[in-house]
Amino acid sequence: MIKSIFIHALVFLCISSLSAQSLTQVSGTLTGEDPNEKLAYASVIVRQDALVVETVITNDKGEFKIEGIKTGKYTVEFQFLSFENATVALDVDGSKSNINLGTTKLKSNVTSLNEVVVTSETSQLALKLDKKVFDVGKDLISKGGSATQVLDNVPSVRVDPSGSVSLRGNSNVLILINGRKSGLTSIQGLEQIPAETIKSIELITNPSSRYDASGSAGIINIVLKKNTKQDLSGSMTLSTGIPADHRILGSINYKKGKFNLFSNFGVRYSDYVGLNTRDQVTTTNGNPLFLTQREDQDRHDDGGLVYLGLDYAIDDNNSITTAFYRNQTKDKDTNTFNYEFSGADNRHIRTIADSEEKRSYNQLEFNYTKTFKKPGQKFTIDGQYDFWDSTKYFNIQRRTITPNNGDQSIINTKSNRGNDDVVIQADFVTPLSKTSNFETGVKVEHRIVSTDFAANEDVNGVLQPIPGFNNGLDYREQIFGGYVQYGDKINKFSYQLGLRTEYTTIQIKDQNTRNVLRDSTYTRLFPSVNLNYALTEKTTAQLNYSQRINRPNLFQLNPFPELQDFNSRIFGNINLLPSLTDGIELGILSKVKGLVLNPSLYYSRTKNNFQYFTSQNDQDVFEAVLVNLDEETRFGLEISAQYAPTKWLSLNAVINAYSFDQKGNVGTTNLDYSNETWTATLLGQAKFPKNFTLQTKFEYQAAESDAQTHTKSFYYLNMALGKSLFKNNGSLTLGVSNIFNTRKTRETTTGNDFVVNQMTNFNAARWNLNFNYRFNKGKNRKEHQSNRE
């Protein structure tokens, strides 16, 4: 079905791309009355008569670029809070492919600050050709939460109960923060980033060679907020919820002259309640054995964070930024397992596992940026140092309830993890002509990770090591990367060609024996191609190709399991090979009045793709091992749409359907499998009188399967109601996620001599009440001055 849709849509897109007309690029810079005051994130609106043709925002340097302006007469309007609007005339006659409007200065407005009229409003989800941008500031549902909740609310993105993030159903995704790798993107790290510190989420499904080659599904870039307001400003958020979820988050920023100080801080106290059930039937020597297992999770997290940074403008062309982030958490969990065996062996075993984990994460950042007299020419150097550690104690009390024969044991485990990661990157961008652009850059990353695990059992009051569970690994990884990229525009056609190379060395040592378990070195080339063609004034087609890599991390390579559940184990694979993916995507972006439509067809082919293979050992314990399959191919169709039928109602819908074909073997077991699945997400936002806003998110995930596991379909609904207060300086939001408690993962795993049915309910409905207040002393001072005058 999906392959047929893919072919028909491909034919349609090819037929539609047979027209030509010259288009012009318009650029410029926006500043205040002081030329050093670059106005970042200001609105630039192109109008033809009363019709809005295009709207963009300026970047951090106040620069803007508008692509694809047709021949005609226009006006360009500049808007920025606390400044008077400015308008310039624009005459595009087709003789120039690039028009630079130069520097436009806006005058400070001190008399009309109390009457700000919003002439247009961006949507929560902005559709662009090369990416989708989710505006977190308009996301009421995740307010008071973390980056995990924010990502889970973004269409096409899913966060499963274990915290694993996937894009379009593919978990091999690279997560960046402000365009860079960070230890904060780990499962635990994302939970520590407050939603209030996030500006937007960018989804890049087919990245260019500028980006790291990791992540076959694409890139999710988390863009953090940065202070752009003059003088003293900040915000405070108070949050409470059921189950207990109490947070205090704030920011204080000061910007004056060449200096910009920015900070974020917060503390949290959160409880989580989860439920996992498991029903399995195994056959041993022709005799069936039944197990009913229930795990009740009672989790509690405490955390505190601080983020301090400084921007310093040395002069008009040189600036530096330094920042430090620290996050410290303490988790206390109690997991109660009840195992009830029946059949040839009737027993009831109860296990109570208490754990305590302390984590400390630190990150140092540095950036130097140099601009030149030539517009668009820029050189940057970025440095980042991550260092973190965690220690987890896990105490397990195991007792046989039936028959009550006094059988019990006490097991203590301890795991330590540490990481040091240094990254240095340099990039240079320069225009070669009015339409062409050249980029190049190099990157060096050096990472050292250590992990060790110890398990001891109390035998007659004496702790003795448990064989097979005392181990440690040292992991060392180095990646040297470089890229070149060239782009140009010819009338309605534009292109960008890139090539990236990455040299990788990985070494893993056993801490106990000092033996080298793995030592591998390889070099890969990663080409990328981005083609754009303007079909009409408001419809553009894009064709992208890129090759990407998925390197197994230490957890996926670690051949030693950790002891938590007596019935199952998860193993890494020291011999796991990196997977390589070739991906191609064809998309169209069309804007017609209140409707924005973005259909995309995509195909990928992955060699050595990863998949877990489940089997039983001689002690009837289930073992899941990560293995390489031969290859996987995917055909997919994703349709994203925005529709605003009225000023008070906006709708965003995303439907993604794909089929996949896997081939591979594990020993004598054939894992060839083909299947289809689809997902649908609907976001709605309605504005009511008295500054009330209602937001909803509905998501449906259809059933999906692989060679061993079938996952049933599920759906869930999130809602939030918000009200603006204190002349839009404050807001009060009541939100609920998984309101009907329908977000439950149900899986059936089948093997030669077993069938396992599992249900995971990581969280039932969660209610949150949030109050946020923003202040700007500089703005208030101008208001007082205006009143005196």
Side-chain angles (χ1 to χ4, degrees):
M1 178 189 71
I2 295 177
K3 291 183 180 179
S4 177
I5 295 175
F6 183 93
I7 295 172
H8 284 84
L10 180 62
V11 173
F12 168 75
L13 292 177
C14 293
I15 294 175
S16 302
S17 61
L18 298 177
S19 61
Q21 182 177 4
S22 63
L23 299 175
T24 300
Q25 173 185 284
V26 179
S27 59
T29 304
L30 195 62
T31 70
E33 295 174 280
D34 180 357
N36 294 324
E37 184 182 9
K38 310 298 184 182
L39 300 185
Y41 310 115
S43 297
V44 182
I45 305 170
V46 180
R47 303 180 190 272
Q48 191 171 43
D49 297 326
L51 178 65
V52 176
V53 176
E54 189 64 74
T55 300
V56 299
I57 61 173
T58 57
N59 61 15
D60 291 341
K61 299 297 183 182
E63 301 166 347
F64 65 90
K65 185 181 293 184
I66 308 170
E67 305 281 356
I69 301 298
K70 190 180 177 182
T71 302
K73 295 183 180 297
Y74 304 86
T75 59
V76 182
E77 183 178 357
F78 304 95
Q79 298 179 356
F80 194 65
L81 186 64
S82 303
F83 288 83
E84 294 181 359
N85 293 351
T87 304
V88 298
L90 175 63
D91 187 0
V92 180
D93 58 12
S95 62
K96 298 180 180 179
S97 59
N98 187 3
I99 297 177
N100 192 326
L101 297 179
T103 300
T104 302
K105 297 181 181 180
L106 298 189
K107 294 182 179 180
S108 176
N109 183 348
V110 298
T111 61
S112 61
L113 288 172
N114 289 327
E115 297 181 6
V116 179
V117 179
V118 181
T119 57
S120 63
E121 177 142 353
T122 57
S123 61
Q124 184 182 355
L125 182 67
L127 301 177
K128 300 183 179 182
L129 267 177
D130 59 340
K131 59 187 173 185
K132 297 179 178 66
V133 181
F134 185 82
D135 190 338
V136 178
K138 299 180 183 299
D139 179 24
L140 301 180
I141 295 174
S142 61
K143 281 190 178 298
S146 65
T148 303
Q149 283 77 48
V150 172
L151 289 174
D152 202 31
N153 206 35
V154 177
S156 303
V157 178
R158 180 185 171 193
V159 183
D160 69 14
S162 67
S164 177
V165 180
S166 61
L167 177 61
R168 287 178 172 174
N170 190 339
S171 61
N172 181 19
V173 59
L174 175 63
I175 303 177
L176 305 176
I177 295 180
N178 291 335
R180 299 190 296 270
K181 282 185 177 180
S182 171
L184 290 170
T185 59
S186 66
I187 293 174
Q188 295 89 350
L190 290 174
E191 188 61 31
Q192 314 310 322
I193 303 176
E196 279 68 21
T197 64
I198 302 175
K199 178 180 180 290
S200 61
I201 304 292
E202 298 178 343
L203 306 182
I204 310 171
T205 53
N206 229 336
S208 69
S209 61
R210 178 191 305 114
Y211 298 96
D212 289 348
S214 301
S216 61
I219 291 174
I220 298 176
N221 185 29
I222 302 174
V223 181
L224 301 180
K225 293 178 181 177
K226 191 171 184 179
N227 178 44
T228 60
K229 297 179 180 179
Q230 289 292 327
D231 220 311
L232 183 66
S233 63
S235 68
M236 177 65 71
T237 299
L238 304 176
S239 176
T240 186
I242 302 174
D245 190 3
H246 313 302
R247 307 181 189 223
I248 301 176
L249 304 166
S251 67
I252 298 177
N253 310 296
Y254 181 75
K255 186 175 183 180
K256 196 72 173 178
K258 295 184 176 183
F259 290 92
N260 176 31
L261 293 167
F262 54 93
S263 68
N264 291 296
F265 56 88
V267 294
R268 68 186 183 97
Y269 175 101
S270 304
D271 287 338
Y272 303 88
V273 178
L275 173 65
N276 300 326
T277 63
R278 179 186 183 107
D279 293 300
Q280 70 183 47
V281 181
T282 60
T283 303
T284 303
N285 298 324
N287 298 317
L289 178 64
F290 303 90
L291 168 63
T292 299
Q293 176 182 327
R294 177 188 174 100
E295 178 189 4
D296 292 278
Q297 298 178 336
D298 183 5
R299 308 188 308 278
H300 172 76
D301 297 349
D302 291 328
L305 67 92
V306 61
Y307 183 48
L308 301 172
L310 170 67
D311 296 323
Y312 175 63
I314 302 172
D315 51 38
D316 290 347
N317 300 108
N318 297 273
S319 65
I320 59 174
T321 298
T322 59
F324 172 69
Y325 180 93
R326 178 173 174 82
N327 191 313
Q328 191 159 332
T329 63
K330 182 178 180 180
D331 303 344
K332 288 186 175 181
D333 303 341
T334 299
N335 295 347
T336 302
F337 294 85
N338 280 281
Y339 307 88
E340 295 191 15
F341 296 88
S342 59
D345 183 12
N346 296 312
R347 286 179 298 158
H348 177 194
I349 298 175
R350 176 174 297 161
T351 297
I352 300 178
D354 294 310
S355 68
E356 179 178 307
E357 181 174 8
K358 296 180 179 180
R359 293 188 295 267
S360 176
Y361 176 83
N362 306 271
Q363 180 173 301
L364 289 168
E365 305 170 11
F366 173 81
N367 168 266
Y368 167 73
T369 299
K370 179 178 179 58
T371 58
F372 301 85
K373 292 182 179 180
K374 187 176 184 180
Q377 192 174 66
K378 183 170 66 173
F379 173 72
T380 60
I381 296 178
D382 289 282
Q384 185 169 300
Y385 174 43
D386 296 350
F387 54 102
W388 58 262
D389 60 80
S390 71
T391 302
K392 183 175 182 178
Y393 296 93
F394 209 73
N395 300 315
I396 306 171
Q397 299 181 26
R398 185 173 185 264
R399 184 163 65 96
T400 301
I401 305 298
T402 304
N404 187 3
N405 55 11
D407 180 22
Q408 61 181 353
S409 64
I410 298 176
I411 294 176
N412 299 320
T413 73
K414 179 183 177 181
S415 60
N416 294 298
R417 295 182 178 89
N419 179 90
D420 284 275
D421 190 7
V422 178
V423 179
I424 299 175
Q425 180 172 341
D427 298 275
F428 178 68
V429 182
T430 182
L432 299 180
S433 67
K434 292 183 178 180
T435 60
S436 62
N437 206 51
F438 175 77
E439 298 178 49
T440 186
V442 293
K443 180 178 179 180
V444 178
E445 181 171 7
H446 180 77
R447 176 185 292 115
I448 298 176
V449 186
S450 63
T451 178
D452 62 79
F453 182 82
N456 300 288
E457 185 174 9
D458 187 331
V459 179
N460 298 323
V462 179
L463 288 178
Q464 297 181 359
I466 301 177
F469 288 100
N470 289 268
N471 53 77
L473 295 176
D474 290 324
Y475 175 89
R476 184 184 298 269
E477 177 186 80
Q478 290 179 323
I479 301 176
F480 301 88
Y483 75 94
V484 291
Q485 196 160 266
Y486 175 78
D488 200 355
K489 184 175 183 180
I490 305 172
N491 297 325
K492 300 173 71 173
F493 174 74
S494 62
Y495 64 91
Q496 182 174 265
L497 308 176
L499 181 65
R500 184 179 189 89
T501 181
E502 292 184 350
Y503 169 81
T504 305
T505 65
I506 294 175
Q507 186 182 80
I508 302 177
K509 284 186 178 181
D510 188 315
Q511 291 180 357
N512 296 325
T513 64
R514 304 312 299 169
N515 292 331
V516 176
L517 303 181
R518 177 168 180 152
D519 193 350
S520 57
T521 300
Y522 52 88
T523 303
R524 296 282 189 273
L525 292 176
F526 304 96
S528 67
V529 179
N530 301 82
L531 308 176
N532 290 272
Y533 187 77
L535 302 173
T536 65
E537 181 181 349
K538 295 186 178 181
T539 303
T540 306
Q542 185 178 65
L543 180 65
N544 297 326
Y545 164 79
S546 67
Q547 186 179 93
R548 306 192 62 76
I549 190 171
N550 181 18
R551 299 180 183 88
N553 57 38
L554 179 57
F555 173 77
Q556 295 170 324
L557 294 169
N558 190 346
F560 304 114
E562 293 189 359
L563 180 61
Q564 293 185 1
D565 180 0
F566 287 95
N567 191 48
S568 60
R569 307 276 189 272
I570 298 178
F571 293 82
N573 184 348
I574 197 69
N575 297 313
L576 203 64
L577 299 175
S579 63
L580 290 172
T581 299
D582 291 279
I584 187 169
E585 182 170 350
L586 181 63
I588 283 183
L589 182 63
S590 180
K591 304 177 182 179
V592 182
K593 294 183 178 180
L595 176 65
V596 181
L597 194 63
N598 180 209
S600 300
L601 293 163
Y602 59 92
Y603 168 82
S604 66
R605 182 172 181 264
T606 302
K607 295 182 180 179
N608 299 323
N609 57 300
F610 304 164
Q611 183 170 302
Y612 276 102
F613 176 73
T614 302
S615 61
Q616 269 189 304
N617 63 18
D618 296 338
Q619 289 77 40
D620 296 328
V621 175
F622 287 88
E623 297 181 345
V625 182
L626 198 61
V627 299
N628 284 118
L629 298 185
D630 294 336
E631 70 171 27
E632 178 191 84
T633 57
R634 290 195 179 203
F635 289 92
L637 169 64
E638 183 178 74
I639 300 176
S640 302
Q642 294 175 355
Y643 182 56
T646 65
K647 292 183 178 180
W648 59 270
L649 178 64
S650 63
L651 301 171
N652 290 277
V654 178
I655 298 176
N656 177 43
Y658 64 91
S659 64
F660 64 89
D661 186 13
Q662 297 177 334
K663 297 184 183 300
N665 297 277
V666 176
T668 59
T669 303
N670 184 274
L671 297 180
D672 292 358
Y673 199 82
S674 299
N675 197 241
E676 298 177 348
T677 188
W678 62 282
T679 62
T681 304
L682 177 63
L683 297 174
Q685 181 169 290
K687 295 184 177 181
F688 300 103
K690 305 294 183 181
N691 293 324
F692 280 98
T693 302
L694 176 66
Q695 191 178 98
T696 62
K697 178 201 175 183
F698 175 81
E699 179 159 324
Y700 176 80
Q701 168 68 61
E704 55 183 332
S705 303
D706 60 29
Q708 279 195 306
T709 303
H710 173 77
T711 304
K712 293 183 178 180
S713 63
F714 67 88
Y715 66 90
Y716 64 94
L717 176 67
N718 299 340
M719 300 183 69
L721 179 66
K723 177 175 173 55
S724 296
L725 304 169
F726 309 121
K727 298 180 180 179
N728 291 327
N729 289 320
S731 63
L732 188 67
T733 306
L734 175 65
V736 56
S737 61
N738 192 18
I739 186 171
F740 300 117
N741 194 24
T742 54
R743 190 174 187 181
K744 301 176 181 179
T745 304
R746 296 180 173 88
E747 297 179 339
T748 300
T749 302
T750 305
N752 293 330
D753 51 3
F754 63 85
V755 177
V756 179
N757 294 291
Q758 300 182 88
M759 187 280 295
T760 302
N761 186 10
F762 190 70
N763 272 318
R766 292 184 68 87
W767 295 79
N768 287 92
L769 181 65
N770 307 279
F771 172 73
N772 175 265
Y773 182 77
R774 301 170 296 277
F775 67 90
N776 185 354
K777 184 178 178 182
K779 171 182 172 181
N780 294 334
R781 185 156 54 235
K782 291 180 179 180
E783 289 178 345
H784 295 326
Q785 178 183 352
S786 176
N787 292 334
R788 288 197 303 270
E789 293 174 350

